[in-house]
Amino acid sequence: MSEDVDMIDVNSSTTKENHPPTHSKESDATSKTTTVTKHTPWLEKYRPTKLDDIVGNEEAVSRLAHFARQGNLPNIIISGPPGCGKTTSVLCLARQMLGESFREAVLEMNASNDRGIDVVRTKIKMFAQSKVSLPKGRHKIIILDEADSMTEGAQQALRRTMELYSKTTRFALACNASDKIIEPIQSRCAMLRYSKLNDEQLLKRLIEIAKAEQVSYTSEGLEAIIFTAQGDMRQAINNLQSTVFGFGHVNSENVFKVCDEPHPILIRDMIGKCLKCELDEAYKAMNHLWRLGYTAEDILSVIMRVTKTYEMSEFMQLEFIREIGLTYMRVSQGVQSQLQLSSLLARLCQKAKTNAH
Ligand SMILES: Nc1ncnc2c1ncn2[C@@H]1O[C@H](COP(=O)(O)OP(=O)(O)OP(=O)(O)O)[C@@H](O)[C@H]1O
Ligand SMILES: [Mg+2]
């Protein structure tokens, strides 16, 4: 192995590096030690290991911290959009509550495991029945990550299991769509809702990582990453790493090359042209993007995000957003043609013109 490789013992509490946690008994054999190399994904390298380090969703995280301090965890469901820290929070909570016993007392199952009704009947039940000596008042924790992909039958089978073993075992579910969790399970759990992270929260974390990795960056570069990530921390960190590995320097040009989105500056220009009723010029800009190979959805999603922050009268902004939304609907129904985008530009010019009079 080369010199940029450090071997880290994940059991050692003295290690300062953040590292991927090992959670299930199954993974024990393969992950006694985790190798952090120059090429370890930053997502894993900078995955928070303590609840305090989790960015955003302060209220929900403080409730989790409260459970951890008290030692009494109810069954919980954490729901929210991708990449906002749900899995990370559950793992931090389990680690904080169980400390040394984390390995024996936690069963983690995610969508990569088979989680049909049989697994609930056998594996989950067996784990719930197994004896693990824990400090007084602590419980074993079963983490069901991506729980919205569990079949309904499996969820039904879980109902009674949750109650029968509630003296010794608690369940922590994480999911994107809480409505895919059947009502009876929801009623047995405390629900915590996570939301997307805001720009400041993303920026703060990106700067921390960029400093730790000695990345050369410009503030426009980080802004571009935040623009493309849309509140998803996973995507933000991934895009930062991809840009650094691809180009060595994070500026807005490089970020948009890596993320392969239409550059917002071009889109801004195009909207500016519509506001001045210059349809021909606006069409040229759109045609240019189309020939670069972007789909109607790619272009529309950037048009929408740019319009939301474009300085124009509120009335006009609302009119524009409505037209963009309508076009988005048609495109998502399958009409992916350039004609749709041209018609959008024509309607935007028309709005600008009627409003000017
Ligand atoms: N709130 C956060 N604070 C710090 N890092 C975060 C946060 N959210 C996500 N991350 C980073 O993104 C990575 C993925 O986060 P995580 O697995 O917790 O997302 P998730 O909410 O479970 O998403 P999914 O719904 O796709 O499962 C983590 O490894 C971490 O590096
Ligand atoms: Mg997750």
Side-chain angles (χ1 to χ4, degrees), residues 47 81-88 108 110 145-146 174-176 234:
R47 188 190 279 276
C84 63
K86 300 179 299 299
T87 305
T88 310
E108 193 221 348
N110 53 45
D145 204 0
E146 290 129 28
C175 62
N176 293 129
R234 181 191 286 124

Side-chain angles (χ1 to χ4, degrees), residues 62-236:
S62 74
R63 272 179 79 188
L64 292 177
H66 182 71
F67 295 145
R69 269 195 308 277
Q70 278 206 325
N72 190 10
L73 176 74
N75 294 320
I76 55 167
I77 299 178
I78 302 184
S79 74
C84 63
K86 300 179 299 299
T87 305
T88 310
S89 304
V90 174
L91 292 171
C92 291
L93 174 73
R95 203 173 296 118
Q96 231 153 295
M97 289 193 77
L98 298 169
E100 300 273 284
S101 325
F102 180 78
R103 279 165 179 247
E104 306 88 62
V106 174
L107 174 71
E108 193 221 348
M109 305 196 75
N110 53 45
S112 70
N113 303 98
D114 178 16
R115 291 177 309 174
I117 192 158
D118 287 343
V119 173
V120 177
R121 284 191 188 131
T122 53
K123 208 165 170 189
I124 293 184
K125 238 175 163 173
M126 265 166 56
F127 180 78
Q129 286 166 344
S130 67
K131 280 218 164 61
V132 177
S133 39
L134 291 174
K136 200 164 173 279
R138 301 283 148 138
H139 301 90
K140 283 179 287 175
I141 300 177
I142 298 183
I143 299 173
L144 297 173
D145 204 0
E146 290 129 28
D148 40 3
S149 66
M150 285 178 82
T151 61
E152 199 187 324
Q155 293 189 36
Q156 295 286 4
L158 210 57
R159 292 165 65 169
R160 195 73 187 117
T161 316
M162 268 186 168
E163 287 170 350
L164 280 177
Y165 302 101
S166 61
K167 268 201 179 148
T168 56
T169 309
R170 293 296 146 87
F171 287 79
L173 280 66
C175 62
N176 293 129
S178 61
D179 57 347
K180 298 238 177 77
I181 307 289
I182 59 168
E183 290 271 334
I185 300 275
Q186 288 193 34
S187 98
R188 285 165 173 78
C189 298
M191 178 75 82
L192 297 166
R193 291 190 196 279
Y194 275 37
S195 50
K196 285 184 174 184
L197 302 174
N198 66 31
D199 291 358
E200 289 79 46
Q201 290 163 341
L202 292 178
L203 182 64
K204 192 162 165 270
R205 186 75 179 157
L206 287 177
I207 291 178
E208 278 169 21
I209 296 178
K211 292 226 165 103
E213 293 291 332
Q214 297 176 345
V215 170
S216 107
Y217 65 88
T218 64
S219 51
E220 289 80 31
L222 295 188
E223 272 170 34
I225 290 181
I226 290 166
F227 182 86
T228 52
Q230 299 181 65
D232 178 340
M233 180 71 88
R234 181 191 286 124
Q235 195 162 20

Side-chain angles (χ1 to χ4, degrees), residues 211-273:
K211 292 226 165 103
E213 293 291 332
Q214 297 176 345
V215 170
S216 107
Y217 65 88
T218 64
S219 51
E220 289 80 31
L222 295 188
E223 272 170 34
I225 290 181
I226 290 166
F227 182 86
T228 52
Q230 299 181 65
D232 178 340
M233 180 71 88
R234 181 191 286 124
Q235 195 162 20
I237 298 175
N238 244 342
N239 290 348
L240 176 69
Q241 188 176 19
S242 310
T243 312
V244 172
F245 278 29
F247 297 94
H249 177 61
V250 181
N251 59 17
S252 69
E253 281 296 306
N254 293 345
V255 171
F256 286 107
K257 271 188 212 155
V258 167
C259 302
D260 205 16
E261 270 194 12
H263 201 300
I265 290 184
L266 296 178
I267 301 277
R268 252 189 111 70
D269 271 1
M270 191 169 81
I271 296 174
K273 300 275 171 8

